[in-house]
Coordinates of all heavy atoms in Angstrom, one line a residue:
A11 N 134.4 38.6 82.0 CA 135.8 38.9 82.3 C 136.6 37.6 82.5 O 136.5 36.9 83.5 CB 135.9 39.7 83.6
H12 N 137.4 37.2 81.6 CA 138.2 36.0 81.7 C 139.7 36.4 81.5 O 140.0 37.0 80.5 CB 137.9 35.0 80.6 CG 136.5 34.5 80.7 ND1 136.1 33.7 81.8 CD2 135.3 34.7 80.0 CE1 134.8 33.4 81.6 NE2 134.3 34.0 80.6
L13 N 140.5 36.0 82.4 CA 142.0 36.3 82.3 C 142.6 35.2 81.4 O 142.4 34.0 81.6 CB 142.6 36.2 83.7 CG 144.1 36.5 83.7 CD1 144.3 38.0 83.4 CD2 144.7 36.2 85.0
V14 N 143.3 35.6 80.3 CA 143.8 34.7 79.3 C 145.3 34.8 79.3 O 145.9 35.9 79.6 CB 143.2 35.0 77.9 CG1 141.7 34.8 77.9 CG2 143.6 36.4 77.4
E15 N 145.9 33.8 78.8 CA 147.4 33.8 78.7 C 147.8 34.5 77.4 O 147.0 34.8 76.5 CB 147.9 32.3 78.6 CG 147.7 31.5 79.9 CD 148.4 32.1 81.1 OE1 149.5 32.7 80.9 OE2 147.9 32.0 82.2
D16 N 149.1 34.8 77.3 CA 149.6 35.6 76.2 C 149.7 34.6 75.0 O 150.8 34.1 74.7 CB 150.9 36.1 76.5 CG 151.4 37.1 75.5 OD1 150.6 37.5 74.6 OD2 152.6 37.4 75.5
S17 N 148.6 34.4 74.3 CA 148.6 33.4 73.2 C 147.9 34.1 72.0 O 147.4 35.2 72.1 CB 147.9 32.1 73.6 OG 146.5 32.4 73.9
D18 N 147.9 33.4 70.9 CA 147.3 33.9 69.7 C 145.8 33.6 69.6 O 145.1 33.9 68.6 CB 148.0 33.3 68.5 CG 149.4 33.9 68.4 OD1 149.7 35.0 68.8 OD2 150.3 33.1 67.8
E19 N 145.3 32.9 70.6 CA 143.8 32.5 70.6 C 143.0 33.7 70.9 O 143.3 34.4 71.9 CB 143.6 31.4 71.6 CG 144.4 30.1 71.2 CD 144.1 29.0 72.2 OE1 143.3 29.3 73.2 OE2 144.6 27.9 72.0
E20 N 141.9 33.9 70.2 CA 140.9 34.9 70.5 C 140.0 34.4 71.6 O 139.7 33.2 71.6 CB 140.2 35.3 69.3 CG 141.0 35.8 68.1 CD 141.8 37.1 68.5 OE1 141.2 37.9 69.4 OE2 142.9 37.3 68.1
T21 N 139.4 35.3 72.4 CA 138.5 34.8 73.5 C 137.1 35.4 73.3 O 136.9 36.2 72.3 CB 139.0 35.3 74.8 OG1 138.9 36.7 74.9 CG2 140.5 34.9 75.0
G22 N 136.2 35.1 74.2 CA 134.9 35.6 74.1 C 134.8 37.1 74.3 O 133.8 37.7 74.0
L23 N 135.8 37.8 74.8 CA 135.8 39.2 74.9 C 136.1 39.9 73.6 O 135.9 41.1 73.5 CB 136.9 39.6 75.9 CG 136.5 39.3 77.4 CD1 137.7 39.5 78.3 CD2 135.3 40.2 77.8
E24 N 136.6 39.2 72.6 CA 136.9 39.8 71.3 C 135.5 40.1 70.7 O 134.6 39.3 70.5 CB 137.6 38.8 70.4 CG 138.0 39.3 69.1 CD 139.1 40.3 69.1 OE1 139.9 40.3 70.1 OE2 139.2 41.1 68.2
T95 N 145.3 47.7 67.4 CA 144.8 46.6 68.1 C 145.9 45.6 68.5 O 145.7 44.5 69.0 CB 143.8 45.8 67.3 OG1 144.4 45.4 66.1 CG2 142.6 46.6 67.0
V96 N 147.2 46.1 68.4 CA 148.3 45.3 68.8 C 148.3 45.2 70.3 O 147.7 46.0 71.1 CB 149.6 45.9 68.4 CG1 149.7 46.0 66.9 CG2 149.8 47.4 68.9
R97 N 149.0 44.1 70.8 CA 149.1 43.9 72.3 C 150.0 44.9 72.9 O 151.1 45.2 72.4 CB 149.5 42.5 72.6 CG 148.5 41.4 72.0 CD 148.9 40.0 72.3 NE 147.9 39.1 71.8 CZ 147.8 37.8 72.1 NH1 148.6 37.4 73.0 NH2 146.9 37.1 71.5
K98 N 149.6 45.4 74.1 CA 150.4 46.4 74.8 C 150.5 46.0 76.2 O 149.8 45.2 76.7 CB 149.7 47.8 74.7 CG 149.4 48.2 73.2 CD 148.6 49.5 73.3 CE 148.2 50.0 71.9 NZ 147.4 51.2 71.9
T99 N 151.5 46.7 76.9 CA 151.6 46.5 78.3 C 151.7 47.8 79.1 O 152.1 48.9 78.5 CB 152.9 45.7 78.6 OG1 154.1 46.5 78.2 CG2 152.9 44.4 78.0
N120 N 151.9 44.5 86.3 CA 152.1 44.7 84.9 C 150.8 44.2 84.2 O 150.3 43.1 84.5 CB 153.3 44.0 84.4 CG 153.4 44.1 82.9 OD1 153.0 43.3 82.1 ND2 154.1 45.2 82.5
I121 N 150.3 45.0 83.3 CA 149.0 44.7 82.6 C 149.4 44.4 81.1 O 150.0 45.3 80.5 CB 148.0 45.8 82.7 CG1 147.8 46.2 84.2 CG2 146.7 45.4 82.0 CD1 147.0 47.5 84.3
A122 N 148.9 43.3 80.6 CA 149.0 43.0 79.2 C 147.5 43.1 78.6 O 146.6 42.5 79.2 CB 149.6 41.7 78.9
Y123 N 147.4 43.9 77.6 CA 146.0 44.2 77.1 C 146.0 44.5 75.6 O 147.1 44.7 75.0 CB 145.4 45.3 77.8 CG 146.0 46.7 77.5 CD1 145.4 47.6 76.7 CD2 147.2 47.0 78.1 CE1 146.0 48.8 76.4 CE2 147.8 48.3 77.8 CZ 147.2 49.1 77.0 OH 147.8 50.3 76.7
K124 N 144.9 44.6 75.0 CA 144.7 45.1 73.6 C 143.3 45.7 73.5 O 142.4 45.4 74.3 CB 145.0 44.0 72.6 CG 143.9 42.9 72.6 CD 144.2 41.9 71.5 CE 143.1 40.8 71.4 NZ 143.3 39.9 70.3
I125 N 143.2 46.5 72.5 CA 142.0 47.2 72.2 C 141.2 46.4 71.2 O 141.7 46.0 70.1 CB 142.2 48.6 71.7 CG1 142.9 49.4 72.8 CG2 140.9 49.3 71.3 CD1 143.3 50.8 72.5
T126 N 139.9 46.1 71.4 CA 139.1 45.3 70.5 C 138.0 46.1 69.8 O 137.4 45.6 68.9 CB 138.5 44.1 71.3 OG1 137.7 44.7 72.4 CG2 139.6 43.3 71.9
T142 N 142.8 52.8 81.3 CA 143.2 51.5 81.9 C 144.2 51.7 83.0 O 144.1 51.1 84.0 CB 143.7 50.6 80.8 OG1 142.8 50.4 79.7 CG2 144.1 49.2 81.4
S168 N 146.2 36.9 90.9 CA 146.4 37.3 89.5 C 145.0 37.1 88.8 O 144.6 38.0 88.0 CB 147.5 36.4 88.9 OG 148.7 36.8 89.4
Q169 N 144.4 36.0 89.0 CA 143.1 35.8 88.3 C 142.1 36.8 88.7 O 141.4 37.4 87.8 CB 142.5 34.4 88.7 CG 141.2 34.0 88.1 CD 141.2 33.8 86.6 OE1 142.2 33.2 86.1 NE2 140.2 34.3 85.9
L171 N 142.6 39.8 89.8 CA 143.1 41.1 89.3 C 142.6 41.3 87.9 O 142.0 42.4 87.5 CB 144.6 41.3 89.4 CG 145.2 41.5 90.8 CD1 146.7 41.4 90.7 CD2 144.8 42.9 91.3
G172 N 142.8 40.3 87.1 CA 142.4 40.4 85.7 C 140.9 40.5 85.5 O 140.4 41.3 84.7
D173 N 140.2 39.7 86.3 CA 138.7 39.8 86.2 C 138.1 41.1 86.6 O 137.3 41.7 86.0 CB 138.1 38.7 87.1 CG 138.4 37.3 86.6 OD1 138.8 37.2 85.4 OD2 138.2 36.3 87.3
L175 N 139.7 44.1 86.8 CA 140.0 45.2 85.8 C 139.2 45.1 84.6 O 138.8 46.1 84.0 CB 141.5 45.1 85.5 CG 142.1 46.2 84.6 CD1 141.8 47.6 85.2 CD2 143.5 46.0 84.3
Q176 N 139.0 43.8 84.1 CA 138.2 43.7 82.9 C 136.8 44.3 83.0 O 136.3 44.9 82.1 CB 138.1 42.2 82.5 CG 137.4 41.9 81.2 CD 138.2 42.5 80.0 OE1 139.2 42.0 79.7 NE2 137.6 43.5 79.4
V179 N 137.1 48.1 82.4 CA 137.6 48.6 81.1 C 136.9 48.1 79.9 O 137.2 48.5 78.8 CB 139.2 48.4 81.0 CG1 139.9 49.1 82.1 CG2 139.5 46.9 80.9
V184 N 138.6 47.7 75.9 CA 139.9 47.0 76.2 C 139.7 45.6 76.7 O 138.8 45.3 77.5 CB 140.6 47.9 77.3 CG1 141.9 47.1 77.8 CG2 141.0 49.3 76.8
Q185 N 140.5 44.7 76.2 CA 140.5 43.3 76.6 C 141.8 43.1 77.4 O 142.9 43.2 77.0 CB 140.5 42.4 75.4 CG 140.5 40.9 75.9 CD 140.6 40.0 74.7 OE1 140.4 40.4 73.5 NE2 141.0 38.7 74.9
V186 N 141.6 42.7 78.7 CA 142.8 42.4 79.6 C 143.3 41.0 79.3 O 142.5 40.0 79.4 CB 142.4 42.5 81.1 CG1 143.6 42.2 82.0 CG2 141.9 44.0 81.4
L187 N 144.5 40.9 78.9 CA 145.1 39.6 78.6 C 145.8 39.0 79.9 O 145.7 37.8 80.1 CB 146.1 39.7 77.5 CG 145.6 40.2 76.2 CD1 146.8 40.4 75.2 CD2 144.6 39.3 75.6
R188 N 146.4 39.9 80.7 CA 147.0 39.4 81.9 C 147.3 40.6 82.8 O 147.5 41.7 82.4 CB 148.4 38.8 81.5 CG 149.2 38.2 82.7 CD 150.5 37.6 82.2 NE 151.4 38.6 81.6 CZ 151.7 38.7 80.3 NH1 151.1 37.8 79.5 NH2 152.5 39.6 79.9
F189 N 147.1 40.3 84.1 CA 147.4 41.3 85.1 C 148.1 40.6 86.3 O 147.5 39.9 87.1 CB 146.1 42.0 85.6 CG 146.3 43.2 86.5 CD1 145.3 44.0 86.9 CD2 147.6 43.7 86.8 CE1 145.4 45.1 87.7 CE2 147.8 44.8 87.6 CZ 146.7 45.5 88.0
Q190 N 149.4 40.8 86.4 CA 150.2 40.1 87.4 C 151.0 41.1 88.3 O 151.4 42.2 87.8 CB 151.2 39.2 86.7 CG 150.6 38.0 86.0 CD 151.6 37.1 85.4 OE1 152.7 37.5 85.0 NE2 151.3 35.8 85.2

Side-chain angles (χ1 to χ4, degrees):
H12 295 291
L13 185 68
V14 299
E15 296 296 329
D16 189 13
S17 65
D18 292 331
E19 298 180 356
E20 300 298 331
T21 69
L23 287 168
E24 182 74 21
T95 59
V96 295
R97 300 185 179 195
K98 307 176 184 178
T99 60
N120 179 267
I121 306 168
Y123 70 101
K124 68 177 182 177
I125 296 175
T126 60
T142 302
S168 294
Q169 176 71 39
L171 285 171
D173 292 345
L175 182 60
Q176 185 65 70
V179 300
V184 174
Q185 176 185 345
V186 178
L187 303 174
R188 183 179 62 252
F189 191 177
Q190 292 182 332

